[in-house]
Amino acid sequence: MLLAMKIKIAITAAALASPVALTVAPVASVGHSTADSAITLIAARPFQYRMAGDFSRDGKPAEAPLREARLSGDVKIMTSQVTSREYAHCVDDGGCPRIPRAPEMADRPVVGVSWRDATAYAEWITNKTGVLHRLPTDEEWVFAAGEKARDEALPLADPVDPAQAWIARYEAEANRVRPLAFDPQPIGTFGRNENGLDDIGGNVWEWTNTCFLRMMLEQTGAAQVTNTNCGVRVVQGAHRTYMTDFIRDPRTGGCAAGVPPANLGFRLIVDAQLPAFYRIVEEVALKLRAKL
Amino acid sequence: MTFNGSMPAPMMVVHEGDYVEVTLVNPEANTMPHNVDFHSATGGLGGGALTHVNPGEQVVLRWKATRTGTFVYHCAPEGMIPWHVVSGMHGTVMVLPRDGLKNREGKPLRYDRVYYIGENDLYVPKDANGKYKSYDTPGEAFADTTEVMRKLIPTHVVFNGKVGALTGKNAMTAKVGETVMIVHSQANRDTRPHLIGGHGDYVWETGKFINPPEKDLETWFIRGGSAGAALYTFRQPGIYAYVNHNLIEAVELGASAHFKVEGEWNNDLMKQVKPPGPILPGKSSAADAVVQTR
């Protein structure tokens, strides 16, 4: 019992710290698999990436630089979003909070989940399968989304006349194509991307692990973080946005003038191999269990 | 259920002393009797007693606009008045003074355009799974809807019929320096309009123009069963939200509209002196905020 707790804490801490760094050299199957979800392997290759967050240069809002990126390893990610049925297993097992809205469409993506709920699910399924599951980083999501990732550069506010950019942003947001249906749809409704992933950019936005950053661009082009807010995470889908981690139902109105995501859901990265310390702990646990 | 197919029903603009002749047609395809009660009319239950029409009938009513102001009108058939009203059968009559609108000192008040906002509280029944129900005929919805209505908690509070009717591509527009009149009508329930980032320069909270308008309001109160009017001259460009400042109703239930205002930013009225950045040493407490005076 105590041992399991320690494993959980170790994995949680590691997942929060720097997920990409966790990927240790290729492969060797751990011998477990997630019960329901199909997994897609996407081989690492260069891609274009614009960092999430607020950027400034000389005290004025600036666009984040678009740069060539390459992840440290291949990406193993769920082919489709986690379904209500899958999430319900976690709830029944005591691993996930019961979400207020009754999931009546069991085989459709679970929606109305917060970052905290999604993280609880990742921890639960990690413990259940012995395979590290976690939310993707924004960078990983953009890579996996491929041509369906939307690099939407919204107009920047000029401090001398902030209203012009504000109006332009408002119009750009109003012109976004809204999903025809708000209810989650059957898996595959929104098509498959070139990497083989279902429903990227459909009517369910996906949580990522990336925290909201405020960054200052220096003359050299280097970005310096001036503020990190991990209470707000990057949400990805038909457009990129930022959400406070306990929000389950994105909505707008009143002061908030933008168009919010239709639904919040998630899919998980499945790490090819667990970090060495975990495997040792797991082996010990298995041996202990065998003795009992 | 609507008059002329819209929520709210059309605004009729007339002048003090006018005779208003209204033909109410209840098409044959309908299933229920209807009538109309004009709050601006005198006698006969506002016309309700003289305008009962069954499906396949029409009636003509004439009434005299004896007093000025913005007034609600609504359907009021026996046994189901609130149901017809909250289903959308309500509109506004604006009776303008012959010599125009005036401020407290009797000086004329002008406006460039009028926006008409009809706020509607809706009580839509849900099934066992929490899904909103739909019905083949209005009659089938009556019992369930009444049950929801009697709990007095609306499922939706919306401007002009639905969430988004006055936002995004449908946002109201104005230019800096322009004066808009906002007529806000609520036939059933109290509301408290507020223009975020603006004010009510001149507000006839009760909607009756013979009373001097109040000045410089932050939020005004429209009693259920009345319509009010507010004048505002935009001084700053940008996006303004016009909300029912019961913010739960604005954000959770839908009572939000937006103004998109073009023009030049006025740094004297507002300026972001320093953009968000790290907290400076010694300034970490909110208590040491400084107000600069001269």
Side-chain angles (χ1 to χ4, degrees), chain B residues 102-269:
Chain B
K102 292 195 169 66
N103 69 8
R104 193 174 288 272
E105 290 76 41
K107 293 234 171 79
L109 289 172
R110 304 184 197 285
Y111 48 91
D112 296 292
R113 63 187 78 194
V114 179
Y115 283 109
Y116 167 41
I117 295 176
E119 182 174 328
N120 205 128
D121 40 327
L122 290 156
Y123 303 82
V124 184
K126 290 178 184 168
D127 65 20
N129 293 322
K131 275 252 170 207
Y132 289 115
K133 290 170 83 167
S134 57
Y135 301 86
D136 291 335
T137 60
E140 288 168 73
F142 180 60
D144 287 356
T145 310
T146 303
E147 201 182 313
V148 182
M149 279 163 30
R150 290 193 64 150
K151 296 191 175 111
L152 298 176
I153 300 172
T155 54
H156 308 75
V157 177
V158 295
F159 294 156
N160 293 13
K162 62 174 182 180
V163 171
L166 296 172
T167 63
K169 286 180 184 171
N170 305 319
M172 300 176 281
T173 58
K175 292 190 176 72
V176 168
E178 275 186 343
T179 301
V180 297
M181 175 191 262
I182 306 164
V183 175
H184 193 122
S185 119
Q186 225 301 8
N188 191 64
R189 197 164 175 272
D190 299 342
T191 182
R192 38 199 63 65
H194 173 92
L195 180 64
I196 302 177
H199 302 95
D201 285 342
Y202 296 93
V203 182
W204 294 270
E205 202 175 46
T206 57
K208 307 308 170 273
F209 296 133
I210 194 140
N211 304 305
E214 288 197 83
K215 284 219 64 185
D216 298 342
L217 299 194
E218 59 175 317
T219 299
W220 43 106
F221 186 70
I222 310 290
R223 297 138 185 82
S226 76
L231 289 188
Y232 183 61
T233 306
F234 284 98
R235 290 156 176 83
Q236 192 83 295
I239 307 295
Y240 290 74
Y242 177 88
V243 300
N244 172 342
H245 210 288
N246 177 327
L247 294 170
I248 301 162
E249 298 182 15
V251 178
E252 300 287 325
L253 301 186
S256 289
H258 294 147
F259 275 98
K260 197 171 73 185
V261 181
E262 309 269 356
E264 222 166 282
W265 184 262
N266 181 340
N267 271 314
D268 184 44
L269 288 173

Side-chain angles (χ1 to χ4, degrees), chain A residues 170-241:
Chain A
Y170 184 79
E171 285 172 348
E173 288 180 349
N175 283 326
R176 279 179 186 149
V177 181
R178 288 175 203 226
L180 293 173
F182 274 81
D183 281 338
Q185 299 299 302
I187 300 294
T189 298
F190 299 95
R192 186 162 269 210
N193 75 353
E194 78 273 26
N195 291 325
L197 303 187
D198 291 325
D199 303 319
I200 297 274
N203 74 351
V204 179
W205 273 247
E206 299 177 15
W207 285 102
T208 79
N209 249 344
T210 298
C211 301
F212 178 82
L213 299 178
R214 230 189 256 287
M215 272 162 293
M216 217 166 64
L217 292 171
E218 291 163 358
Q219 290 306 328
T220 57
Q224 196 193 328
V225 177
T226 59
N227 186 270
T228 304
N229 182 1
C230 287
V232 173
R233 302 278 170 160
V234 177
V235 167
Q236 274 285 11
H239 67 268
R240 177 154 74 184
T241 189

Side-chain angles (χ1 to χ4, degrees), chain A residues 96-158:
Chain A
C96 292
R98 191 172 296 281
I99 51 177
R101 282 195 293 182
E104 44 171 350
M105 290 172 285
D107 292 316
R108 298 189 182 189
V110 63
V111 296
V113 282
S114 67
W115 178 88
R116 295 179 184 190
D117 302 333
T119 302
Y121 182 86
E123 285 174 22
W124 171 79
I125 198 151
T126 296
N127 285 333
K128 215 66 192 163
T129 60
V131 179
L132 181 62
H133 289 67
R134 58 171 176 81
L135 286 171
T137 62
D138 179 63
E139 198 173 15
E140 287 168 326
W141 192 94
V142 168
F143 170 66
E147 69 205 0
K148 294 226 177 180
R150 195 71 57 84
D151 178 35
E152 190 184 43
L154 291 170
L156 299 166
D158 175 1

